[in-house]
Structure formats: structure tokens, C-alpha cells
Amino acid sequence: MPRAIIVGGGLAGPCLAHGLRRAGFEVALHERDDGLARAQGYRIRIGPEGTRALYECLPPHLYSLAVDTAGVPGSGVTVLTGSLGVIKRVVVNDPAAPTTPDSGISVDRLTLRQILLAELGDAVRFGSEFTRFDVLSGGRVRAHFDGGASEEADLLVGGDGPSSRVRRQLLPDARVVTTGTWAVFGRTPLTPEVAEITPAAALDGFSTVISPDGRFMPLAGHRYRKDPNSLASGLSFPDTRDYLMWVFGVNDDVSRLDPAALLDTVEGRIADWHPDLRGIVRRSDPDTVRAVPMRTAEPVAPWPSGPVTLIGDAIHCMIPAGIGAAVALRDAALLSAELGAALRAGAPLVNAVARYEREMLTYGFEAVAASQRPRF
Ligand SMILES: Cc1cc2nc3c(=O)[nH]c(=O)nc-3n(C[C@H](O)[C@H](O)[C@H](O)COP(=O)(O)OP(=O)(O)OC[C@H]3O[C@@H](n4cnc5c(N)ncnc54)[C@H](O)[C@@H]3O)c2cc1C
């Protein structure tokens, strides 16, 4: 049985682990964090290609669990002024329509990751940080991890996000640039008091507050369709309260600010906006407030394929535009399908990797370009 090492237990890595297992691979997935707690945005929108990838890679009951624990669907995207006037509303979805593998869904990232990592058992090694790889004679690869451990496999896949060490070694000239903007984001529990001051549009899809001077604040509710802990899945989800996720873009380096100072910064910058918006920010759960730099990958030319490849943000990270997760999941599904087909045909795995890379580089960097186009 061929063996694959996957680096990164975000979204793409665990989805690929399921896909490759179903395709007939033995898999080891290494995640540098000790557990699932890392905050990187809470409610995420997964476009139809991402839902289809989950459908194709996950065992059917885990796919169903991902859909059942998604958010109540909304009907559209609304652009609001700082005083909560509606600038534009686009209806994109019929909330009453059944969810199919070709529907977009919104999910809680942590809940989805918990589902993705379920049932991978001891294939998942938390607290295992990849450091470098060696390509061995005969086409295999050896991956090294912090602390001195190493493992050999037929394939190494870097799903290790925008700062990917796998990419830095494989493609040292590939550039990821910071845009200078930081996304400060947080989560406000959707208590009855908060629901009262929440713009209706934020509970019926996705909303963004913008002002002519360039300030912007996406705001969207996550209300679980079904309480994940009521679904007899065998999993225990730590926090299943409904919430509002807000994101505020700032153009200076806020990396040194603690959550309280980040909250003060956001509140100060929206002081002239509607008091309800400040009320939502002020009622955030302080532990959930974080800042991440906006980064985007520059286009990468094809490289000679081998036993090391990349998926997700490790190759085509982009500024948050509601696209990155779906594209990362699509990579996982495509790579699984190509490798599975090669395995069944007894064809060399490297040819499958080459086909995957050719297609992925095209749609991946089209998505990067799309993320940079003004949307409102
Ligand atoms: C605030 C915010 C909001 C967003 N909202 C959306 C949205 O609504 N819709 C959407 O489509 N996209 C959204 N995105 C983008 C989306 O989060 C990413 O595209 C997606 O997470 C990419 O998945 P990934 O698995 O490739 O990488 P990641 O999710 O970044 O996972 C990489 C994993 O690799 C691990 N890792 C890193 N280095 C190592 C190492 N050396 N060894 C072992 N493990 C390592 C990390 O700990 C991490 O768990 C958002 C991003 C942000 C920041």
C-alpha cells in the first residue's frame, strides 16, 4: 500500500487524508499545534466546489455531519453604511432549498475541523512540526520533524498554510507578499441582547459595512442548523453557541496588541459608526479576538513534478474573500482523485501529481486574482 505524509491539519490536509485513505493510501498527518484551538476566523463560507470536495473525500456519515452542523442558510450579501443604511443587496441563495453537494454552506471552522479529523485515529500526530524533507533515490521522500523524528513515504503533501515550510524548500522562489492590511476578528455570542442590535442582513447571509474612507467590517451570524452535540455522532463539540463573527481591516501592524487592545483599536476606529456596531464589538468574547496579516501568493510557474506537492494556502494563499477554503478543499479532492486513478491503473504516482499540479495552478491562481478584485 503506498504511503503519504501530509503536513498540516487545517482544512485541506484532513480532507486529503480522508480522500487518500478512500483511494487506497496509508496516511500520516502531522499538525504542529497540540490541538484544535488555533483561531483563524470562526464562521467560514465554503463555496459549492468545497462542499463537493467534502462529499467526494469524506465517508458519507462525516459529510452528512458537516452539512447538519453548518449554519442556517441565509439569502444574500448586503453592503451597509456605517450608519446601517443598505447600499446594495444581492440575493444569492434560496434559504429553503435543500443542501446538495453543489450548494455553498457556511460552517464553524473549529466544528468542521473536528469533523474532518474524526476517525483518522492515530494517523494524526498533533504537536509534530515538519522541518524539512529529502528526496531519496528511487523517488521516495523522507520528512523530518522537530525533535529529530523522521518518516519515509511515497508522497509528501504540504498543506501547511501560507507560511508553508514545504513550499519554502520545494519552491524557494515562490513569493507570498503581505498587503499591509491586518484583519482583526472576533466572535460575539448571539445572546438575545446581541440579536436585538444585530442588523437583520447579518443574520440572513453575509453583510459588510463599508465607509468611503476605505474602512470595512464584514459581519455575519452563525446559527447552527442543529446543535452538533445533539446528533449522536460520538463527538463532543466544546462550544456550540450561536455567534456573530466580525472582521475589521486595519492598515497598521497590530501584531503586538493583546485582545483587549485590539478591541479598543477597533472600537476607536468605528467610533463614528452606528452605536449597535460598537455594541456588537464591545460584547465580543475577548479570548476570541485575534489579528492576522493579509497575505497573497504571487503566481507560480509550473515546476518538475516529483514526490512532494502542495495543497491549499501553502501554494495559493489569498486575502480573505470567501474563496480560499473551497479552493483548498478542491485541491484535496482533485489530488485524491488523480492518485486514486493512478493507483487503480498501476500508473506512476508522479504522473498523477503532475496532472493535479497543472490543473490546480490554473484554478488556484485564478482564485487568487479573483480575491483581489473589488467585490462591492
Ligand atoms: C479571518 C479569515 C477569514 C476567512 N474566511 C474565509 C471564508 O469565509 N471562506 C473561505 O473560503 N476562506 C476563508 N478564509 C481563508 C481560509 O481560512 C483558508 O483558505 C483555509 O484555511 C486554507 O486551508 P489550508 O488547510 O490550506 O490551510 P490552514 O487552514 O492555514 O491550515 C494549515 C495547517 O498547517 C499547520 N502547520 C503549519 N506549519 C506546519 C508545520 N511546519 N508542521 C506541521 N503543521 C504545520 C497549521 O498549524 C495549520 O493547522 C479566511 C481566512 C481568514 C484569515
Side-chain angles (χ1 to χ4, degrees), residues 160-206:
D160 47 345
S163 307
S164 171
R165 282 197 181 160
V166 181
R167 181 194 66 238
R168 283 191 211 161
Q169 184 177 347
L170 180 68
L171 305 173
D173 296 329
R175 274 171 38 93
V176 170
V177 292
T178 51
T179 65
T181 300
W182 286 69
V184 183
F185 58 93
R187 221 173 92 148
T188 305
L190 199 48
T191 58
E193 184 197 14
V194 170
E196 192 107 317
I197 60 170
T198 299
L203 296 177
D204 182 22
F206 182 83

Side-chain angles (χ1 to χ4, degrees), residues 8 10-12 31-32 38 44-45 109 130 160 313 322-325:
L11 298 177
E31 165 57 47
R32 110 191 122 179
R38 191 171 52 97
I44 50 170
R45 159 96 190 146
R109 183 191 294 264
F130 166 86
D160 47 345
D313 278 14
I323 315 176

Side-chain angles (χ1 to χ4, degrees), residues 43 67-75 95 106-108 190 195 198-205 220-228 240-245:
R43 175 225 193 246
V67 170
D68 286 345
T69 56
V72 172
S75 68
S106 66
V107 299
D108 174 72
L190 199 48
T198 299
L203 296 177
D204 182 22
H222 182 78
R223 289 177 292 168
Y224 284 99
R225 294 176 187 192
K226 295 179 185 165
D227 178 352
T240 56
R241 290 172 300 163
D242 294 341
Y243 61 87
L244 271 182
M245 177 177 134

Side-chain angles (χ1 to χ4, degrees), residues 267-344:
E267 271 197 71
R269 305 258 170 117
I270 63 171
D272 59 329
W273 283 4
H274 196 286
D276 286 351
L277 293 169
R278 298 201 302 281
I280 289 167
V281 170
R282 197 173 320 121
R283 287 172 179 79
S284 305
D285 188 345
D287 292 346
T288 65
V289 180
R290 299 277 187 285
V292 289
M294 299 292 89
R295 288 175 283 193
T296 188
E298 292 188 345
V300 174
W303 61 90
S305 298
V308 182
T309 193
L310 298 162
I311 53 172
D313 278 14
I315 176 69
H316 44 57
C317 76
M318 60 194 87
I319 53 175
I323 315 176
V327 182
L329 295 169
R330 178 176 175 179
D331 293 351
L334 176 61
L335 184 55
S336 301
E338 292 291 358
L339 287 165
L343 208 55
R344 285 191 300 278

